[in-house]
Amino acid sequence: MNAASAGRSWLRDFRRGFLLEGYTLTLVRGLTPREYLDRIGARQQEDCDGFDHFIAQNLEFQDEQDDWGDRMFVGATAVHGEDANWVLALEINGGIEIRTDAMKHATRGTRGVSHFRSPNAMSLFSWWEDGELRTRFEGPLHREGSTPDHLLDLMRRTGFDLETGAYSLENYVALAQELTRVHLTANNLHYGTYSTGTVETPTER
C-alpha cells in the first residue's frame, strides 16, 4: 500500500480544501465517542448531526472565547476498521494532542494515532500505545518517542522519503490507515454524528 493509491486525496480536497487551514484527526481503538471525551477530560457539549452542524458549533464556541486556544472544541464519532471499532476525533486547527496529556489517558490499554496540520502547513504525526508516545515526527528524518525508529518500514511503504525527508499530506493519511486498518473517507466527516466537548489547553507546559 502506498500514498499514491486511489482515494487518498479526499482529505486535501474535502470541502475545497477546508481542512488545509488547520485540523487534527485522531483515531483511538475500541472506545465510544463519549468514552473518548471522558478520558481526555472534556467538558461535554451537545451532539452534532453532521459536519455542518459541528462546524457551526465550533465557530460559536470560538466566538465566545476571549483568547483563541485557551480551550479547544473537539468532536468524536464512531468509525469502523477492518478488525475493530474506533473513535474518530476532529479538531479544527487543534492542539489537544500536542498541548495536553489527553492521548496518554485516551490510549490506556489501546492504540491511538493522530495527525495534525497547522495553517502554515506544518504537519505532525503521533503514534501512541497504552498511554505511551511511541513515535512522533514532523518530517520523517526527525523522530521522537520511546521507539522512534519502529515505523521506518511502514513509512517507506507509505511514501515517506527517508533519504531526503520529503513527504506529503497523503503519506500521513496512508500511515494512519496502516496503523489502524481504518479507511477514512469524506463521508465519515460529512455524515458523522459527533459527540462534542471542550478541553482546556494551557499555553505553557
Side-chain angles (χ1 to χ4, degrees):
M1 185 179 300
N2 60 59
S5 300
R8 288 279 159 67
S9 64
W10 74 266
L11 185 57
R12 186 181 299 278
D13 296 337
F14 183 77
R15 298 289 182 97
R16 298 183 178 180
F18 179 88
L19 292 179
L20 300 186
E21 295 299 315
Y23 73 88
T24 302
L25 285 175
T26 299
L27 287 160
V28 180
R29 183 176 55 202
L31 301 184
T32 67
R34 285 296 174 189
E35 286 171 339
Y36 171 79
L37 293 175
D38 286 343
R39 285 195 176 196
I40 67 173
R43 182 183 300 169
Q44 295 194 10
Q45 308 292 318
E46 68 176 273
D47 288 353
C48 294
D49 187 13
F51 187 79
D52 288 334
H53 189 190
F54 171 76
I55 291 301
Q57 290 298 105
N58 179 74
L59 289 174
E60 181 178 328
F61 169 76
Q62 299 298 348
D63 286 343
E64 292 174 353
Q65 289 203 96
D66 293 329
D67 295 306
W68 184 90
D70 287 346
R71 298 185 68 85
M72 294 302 301
F73 187 77
V74 57
T77 187
V79 294
H80 305 290
E82 293 179 8
D83 56 3
N85 291 326
W86 294 68
V87 61
L88 168 66
L90 171 64
E91 300 166 66
I92 302 305
N93 202 342
I96 292 174
E97 192 270 339
I98 302 168
R99 296 163 55 189
T100 76
D101 292 328
M103 285 292 277
K104 178 179 179 179
H105 303 299
T107 61
R108 290 193 313 269
T110 190
R111 167 174 290 188
V113 300
S114 181
H115 51 103
F116 161 83
R117 179 184 171 100
S118 73
N120 63 3
M122 187 273 280
S123 298
L124 195 69
F125 188 94
S126 302
W127 163 45
W128 292 76
E129 292 279 351
D130 194 16
E132 179 181 42
L133 177 62
R134 298 287 300 274
T135 305
R136 175 185 283 156
F137 60 89
E138 177 180 352
L141 303 185
H142 304 286
R143 303 174 301 277
E144 61 178 341
S146 63
T147 57
D149 297 334
H150 189 83
L151 299 182
L152 291 181
D153 287 342
L154 279 180
M155 291 169 70
R156 290 187 186 96
R157 195 156 77 231
T158 52
F160 290 92
D161 190 326
L162 298 179
E163 299 297 325
T164 67
Y167 64 95
S168 71
L169 175 64
E170 284 71 25
N171 302 137
Y172 284 93
V173 176
L175 182 59
Q177 182 173 325
E178 286 284 346
L179 284 167
T180 64
R181 314 310 297 171
V182 176
H183 179 60
L184 294 178
T185 70
N187 283 346
N188 294 119
L189 268 63
H190 276 306
Y191 302 116
T193 297
Y194 296 89
S195 298
T196 70
T198 62
V199 176
E200 184 176 354
T201 50
T203 55
E204 295 184 3
R205 291 191 52 73

